[in-house]
Amino acid sequence: DTAVSQTPKYLVTQMGNDKSIKCEQNLGHDTMYWYKQDSKKFLKIMFSYNNKELIINETVPNRFSPKSPDKAHLNLHINSLELGDSAVYFCASSRTSGDTQYFGPGTRLTVL
Amino acid sequence: RKEVEQDPGPFNVPEGATVAFNCTYSNSASQSFFWYRQDCRKEPKLLMSVYSSGNEDGRFTAQLNRASQYISLLIRDSKLSDSATYLCVVPNSNSGYALNFGKGTSLLVTP
């Protein structure tokens, strides 16, 4: 049983396209997150949702839009993809905000 | 001072060695801290939580010095399988909801 799952695992697409990454957690956690890990391996928070409500929205272009249909899911939609969006995107969840976070396997996005 | 700072390494040590990593943080109000481990092309995984002065789990010991605002991770009797990047994690000073991840310290244990 996978605790935090993401799909797809790999995503290769052209500049200008729109794509979505899905995340689901079966841990019963209240809080979910999206992180971006760039080529320099720095892991940076993008968004956080607590019980389907947005609680963190770091300085991220508005081409990135998270959506949480319920507290077990947090999807990430990206419009008009750019070369600089190439990175690994990790979803995570925690029992409550600020608690230990459990990560999904990551989605490796490559924009050509 | 940055939110979280770590020596990036790499630390190259022989099997059986003892190695220590340090991490400094800026949020003096932080109460909980974490060390995560990240293997190449994998997701970060929790190694240890640190809530008081320190924590020990087998070969791994984490210590917290609140006065100097640093956390250390000590690995005794290093194994080849300990090779990974170790991430120091501290609550964000602007929001208790977020965790700030350090850039990680790379460890390579050699035969």
Side-chain angles (χ1 to χ4, degrees), chain A residues 2 4-12 19-25 32 34 73-78 89-91 104-109:
Chain A
T2 305
V4 183
S5 59
Q6 294 179 228
T7 53
K9 193 166 182 181
Y10 298 96
L11 188 52
V12 181
K19 291 292 177 186
S20 291
I21 308 172
K22 295 187 176 181
C23 178
E24 176 180 2
Q25 53 95 3
M32 296 184 73
W34 275 110
H73 295 84
L74 180 61
N75 304 323
L76 184 65
H77 187 76
I78 316 170
Y89 291 84
F90 287 103
C91 176
T107 295
R108 187 171 294 275
L109 171 65

Side-chain angles (χ1 to χ4, degrees), chain B residues 54-110:
Chain B
N55 193 11
E56 185 171 330
D57 183 4
R59 298 182 294 107
F60 298 84
T61 301
Q63 288 193 314
L64 170 62
N65 184 319
R66 290 187 189 276
S68 302
Q69 291 180 218
Y70 80 79
I71 315 151
S72 63
L73 177 68
L74 182 78
I75 305 175
R76 289 181 297 276
D77 189 23
S78 300
K79 310 290 184 195
L80 295 177
S81 57
D82 293 335
S83 298
T85 297
Y86 291 84
L87 306 168
C88 175
V89 185
V90 178
N92 186 297
S93 56
N94 294 324
S95 164
Y97 297 117
L99 295 179
N100 280 332
F101 283 74
K103 293 189 177 183
T105 299
S106 177
L107 172 66
L108 178 63
V109 181
T110 55

